[in-house]
Each structure stands twice: as C-alpha cells, then as structure tokens.
Amino acid sequence: MTRVKILDKEFETSISEATILESINEVAKRVNHDLKDENPLMLCVLNGAFMFAADLMKAVTIPCQISFVKVASYNGTSSTGSVKQLIGLNEDIKGRSIVLVEDIIDTGVTIKGLKEQVVAMGAKDVRVATLLFKPESCMSGIKPEYIGLTIPNDFIVGYGLDYDGYGRNLRDIYTLVK
Ligand code: 5GP
Ligand code: MG
C-alpha cells in the first residue's frame, strides 16, 4: 500500500488505476448497448467527474456528445436547507437522452436534484452513470443506472476526487487513514 499526505491528512491506496479502468470499460459496454440508437448527450458534472468522463468517453463507441456542467449550492429558505442548482448547460436538451456523469454518489442529494432539473428541462430520458457509489449512505432512493464500483462509506481522494482541492491528479483512489 502506498501512503500519501494531503494537507493535514494521510491517505492510503484502496482502488488501483487498473481496477478503475476495468470498471469504466464495463460501464461503457452497457452504455454502448443501451443507448446505441439514442445519440445521448453526456453531462459531466464538474469538477470531480472530469477524469471519469474522459476515460468513459474513450470507451464509448456510439455516436454521442459531451458537455460540462457545475453544481452551485446555496441555502434555500425552505426547511430542506441546501439546494443544488445546475449551471452551465447551454444545449437544448428537449427530447434528448441524457447521461449524467458523476464521480461519486454519497447521500444522493446532489444527483437527485440534478436529475429533476434535467427532466424539467424536457429531456426524454435521464440516466445516471457514477464511477463510485456509497450504498450505505444513499438515503435519497436514487438508483444509478450505471455504477463503476460500490465502495464503503469512507472518505476517498484521487482520480478526480479532491480533499480541499488537492489530490485530483492521483491516478489511483486513496482512502483516508483514520
Ligand atoms: P451527495 O449529494 O451524493 O451526498 O454528494 C455527492 C458529492 O459529494 C460528490 O459529487 C463529491 O463532490 C462529494 N463526495 C462525496 N463523498 C466523497 C468522498 O468520499 N470523497 C470526495 N473527495 N468527495 C466526496
Ligand atoms: Mg461530483
């Protein structure tokens, strides 16, 4: 196991780059099969999903497009608290098949909010592809169509995911050492 120190915390390797890439190939195979006549628009949710989206796109062989969006969090006045708003989408998505490309789903709150907004904008079909899924903490009832790897409820960095902005450039995934 390799250890790295990022700011004040220690992390150790938990998922190798080879395992990540294998899981992405499996996701891509299913996307190629399920959406071959759909001309899907992949929506990469920045920042964390940039690396996953790049490797997924290299393995997707059907006609498709990609665009990049961000999630802006702000505190709503309602009792639900934090609201996630989709920004940066300039394409007309009416009647289109959309694949939301996420790095990780934890509580599912983020992806649930995004999915609702994309549906409200008139998409024909909205699917979720996430590299990582933490099922223990997924309270929102969201069930992603495509999951790369299911992981325990620990904090991870690497392969696009950060700790305070650092660690995104690590090729493997690392878990916080408690
Ligand atoms: P959710 O709304 O599903 O609870 O949160 C999803 C977002 O939380 C992800 O897009 C990611 O930004 C962040 N997140 C959740 N778990 C982790 C983790 O283990 N490591 C990192 N770096 N970010 C995480
Ligand atoms: Mg994310």
Side-chain angles (χ1 to χ4, degrees), residues 45-46 48-49 102-104 110:
V45 184
L46 296 172
E102 257 289 21
D103 51 354
I104 186 164
T110 308

Side-chain angles (χ1 to χ4, degrees), residues 15-22 159 171-173:
I15 309 172
S16 71
E17 183 183 26
T19 301
I20 296 166
L21 294 176
E22 261 173 51
Y159 196 78
R171 303 181 80 107
D172 306 298
I173 286 174

